[in-house]
Amino acid sequence: MKKYCDVCGKPSGMYPLCNACFKLRDEGKVIKCEECGKWHLIDKACEECGAWYKQAKTATEKKENKNSYIEDDDYQSNCLICGNEAYGYLFCKECYNKYKDKTILLKVTNCDKIELMQTLDQHEDGLIYKCADGHKVRSRAEVLIDDWLYYHGYAHAYEKALAVDADKDHDLHPDFYLTKEDIYIEHWGYENKKDYQSQKNYKIEKYKDLGVTVICTTEKDLSDISGTLERKLKFYKKGIVNE
C-alpha cells in the first residue's frame, strides 16, 4: 500500500515521511506527536489530533524567558555539579543559585564524568568539601592535605589571616597554618592561569618580605601527597618559601 508523508502529503513509499521531511526530522524541525504518533512540524499542532507538542511549547517558553527556571519533565538532564535533575539546563536550581556569578573549576574525565574541583572566588562561601577533622575547604586537593595533617597529628588552621600591613583588607590567607611548627602551607592549583600566576607571585614576595616559612605543593604532588608533605616538613628551611 502506497504511503504519503505525514507532514507534506507527498508520496513516501513505505515510510511515514518523505526524504525531505526525514531531513527536517534530523534537524529537529519535525517531531512525532505524543498523543497519536503522527509526525508534524515542531512549530505547528498535530493535524491528526490537534495536540500541541508539549516539549516544543516548553522550548519556546524557555527561549522567551531566558532568566526564568521552568521545571518540565519532558526536558531531562543532570546537573553538571551534583548530578540531580536539571530539566534541560546545565545546572539544577540549587547549584545555579549557589554558584551564579561565581567562577568555578570543573574537571572532565573520559567525556562523561564532570567533577567540581574548586570555586575560584577565594573569599566567597565556597567551602563545599568536608575533611575528616570537620574543617570545610574549597577543593579536593585541600581535603587530601587537611586529612594528612589531621591523621599525622599536626594541629592546623585553615585560611588563617596573615597580616601584611595595618589594613585588614590586605590580609593574605594561606591555605593552612601549622600552629605548633609556625609553618604555612600553600597549594598552587592553577599555575597555567595567568591571573592565578600573578596572584601566586605576589603572595610569594609578601611571604618573603614577612619572613614566614611557607611550604608549597602543586597538582603534581597530589599523586603522592603523603610522601611530599612528609619530605617537605622534614627538610624545610626556616624563612624560605619551599617551592
Side-chain angles (χ1 to χ4, degrees), residues 16-187:
L17 297 175
C18 65
N19 289 336
C21 289
F22 264 124
K23 291 181 180 179
L24 292 177
R25 182 204 64 178
D26 293 340
E27 295 172 0
K29 297 178 181 178
V30 167
I31 55 177
K32 194 173 186 178
C33 178
E34 288 187 332
E35 301 296 330
C36 67
K38 289 288 186 178
W39 294 85
H40 64 93
L41 293 171
I42 192 170
D43 57 352
K44 293 184 178 180
C46 175
E47 293 184 1
E48 182 71 18
C49 66
W52 180 265
Y53 192 62
K54 186 181 179 184
Q55 182 169 333
K57 184 177 180 181
T58 305
T60 303
E61 290 174 348
K62 286 187 176 184
K63 190 175 293 185
E64 293 174 350
N65 300 279
K66 293 182 179 179
N67 296 323
S68 65
Y69 191 96
I70 303 172
E71 295 189 359
D72 192 321
D73 291 336
D74 285 339
Y75 272 77
Q76 295 183 356
S77 65
N78 295 326
C79 174
L80 292 181
I81 295 177
C82 69
N84 292 333
E85 177 59 54
Y87 302 99
Y89 290 94
L90 296 176
F91 306 100
C92 67
K93 189 173 184 179
E94 289 73 19
C95 287
Y96 174 77
N97 290 331
K98 184 174 183 179
Y99 298 107
K100 181 177 65 173
D101 299 326
K102 293 185 179 180
T103 303
I104 61 175
L105 179 69
L106 297 176
K107 179 181 179 181
V108 181
T109 306
N110 298 329
C111 295
D112 61 356
K113 182 180 178 183
I114 300 178
E115 178 182 1
L116 175 65
M117 299 300 292
Q118 184 173 352
T119 61
L120 303 185
D121 306 280
Q122 290 297 312
H123 300 293
E124 294 291 337
D125 182 17
L127 307 177
I128 61 174
Y129 296 99
K130 190 173 182 179
C131 305
D133 59 1
H135 283 153
K136 290 185 177 180
V137 297
R138 303 179 189 280
S139 71
R140 293 190 183 278
E142 291 176 341
V143 172
L144 292 176
I145 297 172
D146 192 286
D147 285 353
W148 188 91
L149 294 172
Y150 173 65
Y151 288 123
H152 286 78
Y154 286 93
H156 58 283
Y158 180 66
E159 291 193 346
K160 181 178 181 294
L162 177 61
V164 174
D165 53 35
D167 190 339
K168 186 177 180 180
D169 291 338
H170 296 166
D171 287 357
L172 299 179
H173 295 265
D175 295 325
F176 298 96
Y177 175 63
L178 278 57
T179 56
K180 183 178 179 180
E181 292 78 7
D182 192 26
I183 296 174
Y184 294 91
I185 296 178
E186 276 280 23
H187 179 74

Side-chain angles (χ1 to χ4, degrees), residues 208-237:
K208 289 180 177 178
D209 291 342
L210 294 170
V212 298
T213 300
V214 182
I215 290 176
C216 300
T217 60
T218 63
E219 292 295 293
K220 66 181 181 181
D221 294 321
L222 298 181
S223 60
D224 184 21
I225 194 63
S226 180
T228 296
L229 290 173
E230 186 174 357
R231 182 176 61 257
K232 291 191 174 187
L233 284 170
K234 185 176 181 180
F235 297 107
Y236 75 90
K237 295 181 180 180

